[in-house]
Amino acid sequence: DVKVTQSSRYLVKRTGEKVFLECVQDMDHENMFWYRQDPGLGLRLIYFSYDVKMKEKGDIPEGYSVSREKKERFSLILESASTNQTSMYLCASTVTGVYGYTFGSGTRLTVV
Amino acid sequence: GQQLNQSPQSMFIQEGEDVSMNCTSSSIFNTWLWYKQDPGEGPVLLIALYKAGELTSNGRLTAQFGITRKDSFLNISASIPSDVGIYFCAGQLYYGQNFVFGPGTRLSVLP
């Protein structure tokens, strides 16, 4: 069964900490995405990547960075976590030309 | 950026009832997707629509690509408790562009 795996389901971090959210897919997909989900706002795109070492800003990149050193892995980095980054974070992947993203189960991050 | 609106925001229905929800945009889209998110999980693709007027079913679910290409509809017949969750629409303006997601419709099914 194909999968997008996010390393943590729940995380609690302190304000100012550097936070890494990891995502791995086993489907050889070129495209990977990071979204955050907040009630009433739906899914908002933070960053995406079309290939190894490539990254593009989404709609809300401020306060975040990403890393894609290997095709199967896409990491989201919060350089200095803040309370307004408390949210559900979803990773997704897809093959170019194939509609429909495959999502991970999400990481619920709480910043205190 | 582009925005999608979903209606209703939430709904409570009795088990066995039919459900209708929609997704609208001010822009013309060339592809519509419908996802369902179970509590505590990531969204899962339900139905994909590629042509204006297209009607596609997946079990008790039926979705339509609006003829104006600015909207899409999802119907669920004879709802059951496992239909509970958040239903998202997603639209794509043109091939290769990232999808835009709506804010979701939260469905609750009462026994």
Side-chain angles (χ1 to χ4, degrees):
Chain A
D1 197 14
V2 293
K3 275 190 175 180
V4 175
T5 303
Q6 294 184 231
S7 55
S8 303
R9 292 298 295 267
Y10 301 94
L11 275 179
V12 180
K13 296 292 182 180
R14 295 195 180 277
T15 301
E17 276 193 74
K18 190 169 186 176
V19 181
F20 293 86
L21 302 183
E22 305 288 346
C23 175
V24 177
Q25 50 95 2
D26 63 1
M27 297 166 285
D28 202 34
H29 286 175
E30 304 96 36
N31 309 312
M32 297 188 74
F33 306 83
W34 275 106
Y35 289 87
R36 66 176 281 176
Q37 180 180 12
D38 300 289
L41 297 178
L43 305 179
R44 293 183 291 167
L45 183 62
I46 306 171
Y47 267 96
F48 58 101
S49 169
Y50 289 147
D51 203 349
V52 176
K53 296 193 183 296
M54 291 184 64
K55 58 184 178 183
E56 298 284 345
K57 292 180 180 179
D59 299 320
I60 52 165
E62 295 78 20
Y64 304 95
S65 62
V66 290
S67 173
R68 191 157 182 210
E69 296 296 318
K70 293 185 178 182
K71 189 175 185 180
E72 66 271 19
R73 186 179 298 270
F74 193 34
S75 303
L76 180 69
I77 304 158
L78 287 65
E79 294 290 342
S80 178
S82 63
T83 54
N84 63 12
Q85 292 178 310
T86 291
S87 187
M88 168 72 94
Y89 290 88
L90 290 164
C91 175
S93 71
T94 190
V95 175
T96 301
V98 174
Y99 298 123
Y101 301 167
T102 302
F103 283 89
S105 296
T107 296
R108 186 166 293 282
L109 173 66
T110 302
V111 182
V112 298
Chain B
Q2 300 297 326
Q3 286 192 331
L4 297 179
N5 300 306
Q6 286 190 247
S7 178
Q9 285 186 328
S10 62
M11 54 196 315
F12 292 82
I13 61 169
Q14 293 290 138
E15 184 176 353
E17 287 184 355
D18 296 342
V19 175
S20 292
M21 60 187 77
N22 66 57
C23 183
T24 60
S25 171
S26 57
S27 300
I28 292 174
F29 285 88
N30 77 339
T31 302
W32 288 98
L33 305 176
W34 283 94
Y35 283 84
K36 183 197 175 195
Q37 184 179 30
D38 289 328
E41 298 294 331
V44 173
L45 182 65
L46 297 173
I47 293 177
L49 302 160
Y50 306 113
K51 288 172 55 178
E54 180 181 356
L55 192 69
T56 298
S57 293
N58 178 3
R60 294 178 295 106
L61 278 62
T62 301
Q64 184 164 24
F65 194 139
I67 57 173
T68 66
R69 297 173 61 195
K70 293 183 178 181
D71 53 13
S72 181
F73 310 90
L74 178 69
N75 295 314
I76 305 173
S77 62
S79 59
I80 58 178
S82 62
D83 290 335
V84 165
I86 303 175
Y87 291 81
F88 291 101
C89 63
Q92 185 187 51
L93 281 172
Y94 51 83
Y95 177 81
Q97 193 190 38
N98 294 331
F99 279 85
V100 176
F101 285 81
T105 292
R106 184 180 293 273
L107 177 65
S108 300
V109 179
L110 306 174

